[in-house]
Amino acid sequence: MKNQSSEQNSDQLDQINNSNELKSSFQQGYRLYQKRYVILFLFAIAELCNTAVYATCNPIAVELSNIYGIDPSIVTLSATLYLFMHPLFTFPASYLIMYKGSSMSIKIGSILTLLGVFSRCLVRQSQEYINKCSFIYVLIGQTLSGIGRPLILNAQASVAVEWFPANQRTKLMTMLNFIVTFSGILGYIIPPIFFAGVTIDEKSPQDVLDTGDSRFMYLLFSEAAFSAVFLIPLLIFFETKPKTPPSAAAKGPTQVISFTDSICQMLKDTKFMQIFISFTLFYGSYKGYGVALVYILLPYGYGKSDIAILSVMPVIGGFLSSLIIPTIYKSWGKYKPIIIILEFCTIFTFYGFLWGCYLQNYVIMLAMATLQGFFILPAIPLLLEWGCEQIYPLNDSFCIGLQYSGATMGSSFIAQIVSMVIHGKKATKFDGFMGITIICSLYTLAILSILFLKEVKHKLALKKSFVSPSDQIEEDFPRPYTEVNPHDLGLFDPDKVKDEDEDTGGDDNLIDNEQKDHEQNNNHSNHRSYQAGNSIGGGTGGFNDD
């Protein structure tokens, strides 16, 4: 037995000494760089600048139609063009992220956003160009910004994985999706501020129209200047990956899957499609509800200022939940029960909001609107993460892009249905009730879509198969962690991995100090003898983290 044990230790020592990558991994471990916060800030600003462009014209559609002598439908077409660029360009964006990296995708998306916001400023060059022909510059600008949307938005998960440890991913995804929602609402709030105190209708004299035209130009130039201030530094300083990974998941699988095969595998995955349907119904219904809200409140006598306040309250609720729900997920470790609870609670808040309308109690309405954001907004990143987990090892950008595209298409379709049911400007209180009932019915379908779906732990299984710098050297590792193939995960069945370990593993050994490179290099010469002592001598001590 002693000789056999000695031979095994010798073989193990030879295997380790012959692997330079393994020695390097033991020496360096997983590392966090302080610049990750700069990267996160730049990416969040890119999301804000791009998403805020969407609703620039919609809140002031009536005013713009009178200023430029065009039909209101042409004005609202600017938002439609922006939205429908996402499903059209989501797979090209995923291709770019997959083969060229998130940095290039985000930079190209930022360039398109800058071209878009500055193209809109050409709408008025002089008095003779104030006509329906000049508004085409706004449409062109919205289209360019819309093409940039998937290039930025689809890279959410990639940025989170490449720069941050796995146990912070839920918080990051929640925060980034909160910024998307916040910037969208911000796009509705800011334009009316520029037109405050100015009433423009069909009978307005030319000097009033000129004033409105000037204010619209101030709005466009302000958005363009804000975008330039933040997106130009992004083009200079944004990076794809740090020098060393923050977690095992950032290394990814070694299996290379072609672009077309990735799409086919994702669309054939019935479990992912169930998550996709749930996300489309859940998020799409909420966005559709936001479009129809003005008609739901019309019979109760609420105006634009009331609607603006009610639109802000979900942001407050979403901010609060972004601090709470990720902690609950970290403790629970399961997507499905948390999402189902959030979706059920959302249904009650919709009927609670309607009850406040019947009572003409604005306080109840504000409270219910806040709770809507509290329950809805954190469910969005959880569904996105669950989808990414399901399709692994496919690139996360496929999941993010397809789900957002489905929600975009779904929200437009749902908004049209709800608007037809509540008869638009002729809506009655009963029509509003029916509109809310349709939305809640869609939420029920979203719950049923995932109710019997079993969660998987693909990334957790991969992470557990990676060598951690603190793992004891006498354990037999068949290959270094940089060479793990997902097909070799038989010992790490995703369905059998314990949930409580999901946010541990390699992340416990993170090094959050870029200045320790020098110390590690000094210790390199003593590293082999330290390995040999642990292997042959049977010592139980782990490697010390610097």
Short mmCIF file of all heavy atoms in Angstrom, two decimals, residues 55-67 75 188 190-195 216 219 304:
data_model
loop_
_atom_site.label_atom_id
_atom_site.label_comp_id
_atom_site.label_asym_id
_atom_site.label_seq_id
_atom_site.Cartn_x
_atom_site.Cartn_y
_atom_site.Cartn_z
N ALA A 55 -37.62 57.39 -26.11
CA ALA A 55 -38.90 58.08 -25.92
C ALA A 55 -38.81 59.60 -26.07
O ALA A 55 -39.68 60.32 -25.59
CB ALA A 55 -39.47 57.74 -24.55
N THR A 56 -37.79 60.09 -26.73
CA THR A 56 -37.62 61.55 -26.82
C THR A 56 -38.84 62.24 -27.41
O THR A 56 -39.28 63.29 -26.92
CB THR A 56 -36.38 61.88 -27.67
OG1 THR A 56 -35.22 61.32 -27.05
CG2 THR A 56 -36.21 63.39 -27.80
N CYS A 57 -39.41 61.69 -28.46
CA CYS A 57 -40.49 62.37 -29.19
C CYS A 57 -41.90 62.01 -28.71
O CYS A 57 -42.82 62.82 -28.88
CB CYS A 57 -40.38 62.05 -30.69
SG CYS A 57 -38.83 62.58 -31.43
N ASN A 58 -42.08 60.84 -28.14
CA ASN A 58 -43.43 60.39 -27.80
C ASN A 58 -44.18 61.30 -26.83
O ASN A 58 -45.36 61.60 -27.04
CB ASN A 58 -43.38 58.96 -27.25
CG ASN A 58 -43.33 57.93 -28.36
OD1 ASN A 58 -42.97 58.27 -29.50
ND2 ASN A 58 -43.67 56.70 -28.06
N PRO A 59 -43.55 61.76 -25.72
CA PRO A 59 -44.30 62.60 -24.77
C PRO A 59 -44.72 63.95 -25.35
O PRO A 59 -45.63 64.59 -24.83
CB PRO A 59 -43.32 62.78 -23.61
CG PRO A 59 -42.30 61.73 -23.79
CD PRO A 59 -42.20 61.48 -25.25
N ILE A 60 -44.05 64.40 -26.41
CA ILE A 60 -44.36 65.70 -27.02
C ILE A 60 -44.79 65.51 -28.47
O ILE A 60 -44.56 66.38 -29.31
CB ILE A 60 -43.15 66.65 -26.93
CG1 ILE A 60 -41.87 65.96 -27.47
CG2 ILE A 60 -42.92 67.10 -25.49
CD1 ILE A 60 -40.66 66.85 -27.51
N ALA A 61 -45.42 64.37 -28.75
CA ALA A 61 -45.79 64.05 -30.14
C ALA A 61 -46.78 65.06 -30.71
O ALA A 61 -46.67 65.46 -31.88
CB ALA A 61 -46.39 62.64 -30.20
N VAL A 62 -47.75 65.50 -29.91
CA VAL A 62 -48.74 66.47 -30.39
C VAL A 62 -48.07 67.80 -30.74
O VAL A 62 -48.35 68.41 -31.78
CB VAL A 62 -49.84 66.68 -29.33
CG1 VAL A 62 -50.81 67.76 -29.77
CG2 VAL A 62 -50.59 65.37 -29.07
N GLU A 63 -47.19 68.25 -29.87
CA GLU A 63 -46.49 69.52 -30.11
C GLU A 63 -45.63 69.45 -31.37
O GLU A 63 -45.63 70.37 -32.20
CB GLU A 63 -45.62 69.87 -28.89
CG GLU A 63 -46.39 70.31 -27.65
CD GLU A 63 -46.91 69.13 -26.84
OE1 GLU A 63 -46.74 67.97 -27.29
OE2 GLU A 63 -47.49 69.36 -25.76
N LEU A 64 -44.88 68.34 -31.52
CA LEU A 64 -44.01 68.22 -32.68
C LEU A 64 -44.80 68.10 -33.98
O LEU A 64 -44.38 68.61 -35.02
CB LEU A 64 -43.09 67.00 -32.52
CG LEU A 64 -42.07 67.07 -31.39
CD1 LEU A 64 -41.23 65.80 -31.35
CD2 LEU A 64 -41.16 68.29 -31.54
N SER A 65 -45.94 67.43 -33.93
CA SER A 65 -46.76 67.30 -35.15
C SER A 65 -47.25 68.67 -35.61
O SER A 65 -47.34 68.93 -36.83
CB SER A 65 -47.94 66.38 -34.89
OG SER A 65 -48.83 66.95 -33.93
N ASN A 66 -47.53 69.56 -34.67
CA ASN A 66 -47.96 70.92 -35.05
C ASN A 66 -46.78 71.79 -35.47
O ASN A 66 -46.90 72.60 -36.39
CB ASN A 66 -48.68 71.58 -33.87
CG ASN A 66 -50.03 70.96 -33.59
OD1 ASN A 66 -50.81 70.70 -34.52
ND2 ASN A 66 -50.33 70.69 -32.33
N ILE A 67 -45.63 71.61 -34.83
CA ILE A 67 -44.46 72.43 -35.17
C ILE A 67 -43.98 72.13 -36.58
O ILE A 67 -43.68 73.04 -37.37
CB ILE A 67 -43.33 72.18 -34.15
CG1 ILE A 67 -43.72 72.74 -32.78
CG2 ILE A 67 -42.03 72.83 -34.62
CD1 ILE A 67 -42.75 72.37 -31.68
N VAL A 75 -44.44 61.03 -35.92
CA VAL A 75 -43.63 61.34 -34.74
C VAL A 75 -43.41 60.08 -33.90
O VAL A 75 -42.29 59.77 -33.49
CB VAL A 75 -44.29 62.45 -33.91
CG1 VAL A 75 -43.46 62.74 -32.66
CG2 VAL A 75 -44.46 63.72 -34.73
N TYR A 188 -39.16 59.73 -20.88
CA TYR A 188 -40.52 60.25 -20.91
C TYR A 188 -40.68 61.53 -20.10
O TYR A 188 -41.54 62.36 -20.38
CB TYR A 188 -41.49 59.20 -20.36
CG TYR A 188 -41.96 58.19 -21.38
CD1 TYR A 188 -41.37 56.93 -21.47
CD2 TYR A 188 -43.00 58.49 -22.26
CE1 TYR A 188 -41.78 56.01 -22.41
CE2 TYR A 188 -43.42 57.57 -23.20
CZ TYR A 188 -42.81 56.33 -23.27
OH TYR A 188 -43.23 55.42 -24.21
N ILE A 190 -38.15 63.95 -19.22
CA ILE A 190 -37.36 65.13 -19.58
C ILE A 190 -37.98 65.96 -20.71
O ILE A 190 -38.04 67.21 -20.59
CB ILE A 190 -35.92 64.71 -19.94
CG1 ILE A 190 -35.21 64.23 -18.67
CG2 ILE A 190 -35.15 65.86 -20.57
CD1 ILE A 190 -33.78 63.77 -18.91
N PRO A 191 -38.45 65.38 -21.83
CA PRO A 191 -38.97 66.21 -22.92
C PRO A 191 -40.07 67.19 -22.51
O PRO A 191 -40.01 68.37 -22.92
CB PRO A 191 -39.48 65.18 -23.93
CG PRO A 191 -38.60 64.00 -23.72
CD PRO A 191 -38.38 63.95 -22.24
N PRO A 192 -41.07 66.77 -21.72
CA PRO A 192 -42.10 67.76 -21.32
C PRO A 192 -41.54 68.92 -20.51
O PRO A 192 -42.11 70.02 -20.53
CB PRO A 192 -43.08 66.93 -20.48
CG PRO A 192 -42.91 65.53 -20.97
CD PRO A 192 -41.45 65.41 -21.28
N ILE A 193 -40.41 68.70 -19.80
CA ILE A 193 -39.80 69.78 -19.03
C ILE A 193 -39.33 70.90 -19.94
O ILE A 193 -39.47 72.09 -19.62
CB ILE A 193 -38.63 69.23 -18.18
CG1 ILE A 193 -39.15 68.24 -17.14
CG2 ILE A 193 -37.87 70.37 -17.52
CD1 ILE A 193 -38.05 67.58 -16.33
N PHE A 194 -38.79 70.55 -21.10
CA PHE A 194 -38.32 71.56 -22.05
C PHE A 194 -39.47 72.35 -22.66
O PHE A 194 -39.26 73.46 -23.15
CB PHE A 194 -37.50 70.88 -23.16
CG PHE A 194 -36.09 70.58 -22.79
CD1 PHE A 194 -35.78 69.49 -22.01
CD2 PHE A 194 -35.05 71.41 -23.20
CE1 PHE A 194 -34.47 69.20 -21.66
CE2 PHE A 194 -33.73 71.14 -22.87
CZ PHE A 194 -33.44 70.02 -22.08
N PHE A 195 -40.67 71.77 -22.64
CA PHE A 195 -41.83 72.46 -23.20
C PHE A 195 -42.74 73.03 -22.12
O PHE A 195 -43.90 73.38 -22.40
CB PHE A 195 -42.63 71.50 -24.09
CG PHE A 195 -42.03 71.29 -25.45
CD1 PHE A 195 -40.96 70.46 -25.63
CD2 PHE A 195 -42.54 71.98 -26.56
CE1 PHE A 195 -40.39 70.28 -26.89
CE2 PHE A 195 -41.99 71.82 -27.82
CZ PHE A 195 -40.90 70.96 -27.98
N PHE A 216 -37.21 72.30 -28.83
CA PHE A 216 -36.93 70.93 -29.27
C PHE A 216 -35.46 70.80 -29.64
O PHE A 216 -34.83 69.77 -29.36
CB PHE A 216 -37.82 70.57 -30.45
CG PHE A 216 -37.67 69.16 -30.92
CD1 PHE A 216 -37.81 68.09 -30.04
CD2 PHE A 216 -37.37 68.88 -32.26
CE1 PHE A 216 -37.66 66.77 -30.47
CE2 PHE A 216 -37.22 67.57 -32.70
CZ PHE A 216 -37.37 66.52 -31.81
N LEU A 219 -33.43 70.50 -26.55
CA LEU A 219 -33.54 69.14 -26.03
C LEU A 219 -32.61 68.19 -26.77
O LEU A 219 -31.87 67.41 -26.15
CB LEU A 219 -35.00 68.66 -26.16
CG LEU A 219 -35.27 67.18 -25.89
CD1 LEU A 219 -34.94 66.83 -24.44
CD2 LEU A 219 -36.73 66.84 -26.19
N LYS A 304 -51.61 64.51 -17.33
CA LYS A 304 -50.24 64.15 -17.65
C LYS A 304 -49.33 64.21 -16.43
O LYS A 304 -48.46 63.36 -16.26
CB LYS A 304 -49.70 65.09 -18.73
CG LYS A 304 -50.29 64.84 -20.12
CD LYS A 304 -49.62 65.74 -21.14
CE LYS A 304 -50.15 65.46 -22.54
NZ LYS A 304 -49.50 66.33 -23.55
#
